[in-house]
Amino acid sequence: MSKKELNNEGKGSFKLPKHHILRGRRNFDRLFSRSEFITTTSFTLRYTIFQNESPSYLVGFVAPKRIGNAVKRARAKRLMREAYRLNQDSTRSLFSTLEYSVHYLFIARIALDDWKQVEQDVVHALQQLCTQLPNSLTQ
């Protein structure tokens, strides 16, 4: 066991498993055809809810070309992914109680450099997602 795993015992797992990453044309088409938005200064969180046999959640990270060159886009995705990975426990309890599938996508709006701002925005967006999901299910 690594030092990080020993220090995090009892606090929950901070891993972002590959089976929770949004992949596939069908999933992206479904997300872009009918979705709702949460906008922050750093990124837009786009999400959709749908009925599925096995309830699950998938998350993706995108940085469009207008952000800048490949280095800036990769950094933006890396910062969003790491901020999400560290703060995903706030949504895990909600997703375990849902009977629906949720797909959501973080789309960078600007070239991201400030770690504290990105983490603040991720926490804020996840809190908003947790409050909006139950409302979306009743509509």
Side-chain angles (χ1 to χ4, degrees), residues 8-110:
N8 289 331
E9 280 185 21
K11 295 182 185 177
S13 175
F14 286 109
K15 292 182 179 180
L16 181 58
K18 284 191 175 186
H19 64 273
H20 286 293
I21 300 295
L22 183 66
R23 288 190 174 90
R25 184 181 182 101
R26 185 182 309 152
N27 288 334
F28 278 93
D29 286 345
R30 183 183 298 157
L31 184 67
F32 282 103
S33 67
R34 52 183 174 126
S35 60
E36 298 180 37
F37 300 92
I38 297 172
T39 304
T40 66
T41 57
S42 304
F43 58 84
T44 300
L45 177 65
R46 196 170 187 152
Y47 68 94
T48 186
I49 304 165
F50 57 94
Q51 185 70 36
N52 199 356
E53 309 84 48
S54 58
S56 65
Y57 67 97
L58 297 175
V59 61
F61 305 93
V62 174
K65 281 195 172 181
R66 66 181 159 81
I67 296 297
N69 62 14
V71 175
K72 291 180 182 178
R73 293 193 312 266
R75 178 165 174 77
K77 289 187 282 189
R78 196 169 49 246
L79 286 174
M80 289 186 299
R81 191 169 39 245
E82 183 66 10
Y84 172 76
R85 186 185 69 83
L86 292 174
N87 296 292
Q88 67 184 341
D89 284 340
S90 61
T91 58
R92 193 174 286 170
S93 61
L94 175 68
F95 292 143
S96 65
T97 61
L98 286 179
E99 295 151 6
Y100 296 90
S101 290
V102 180
H103 291 179
Y104 52 105
L105 184 67
F106 290 90
I107 304 170
R109 297 178 67 201
I110 57 174

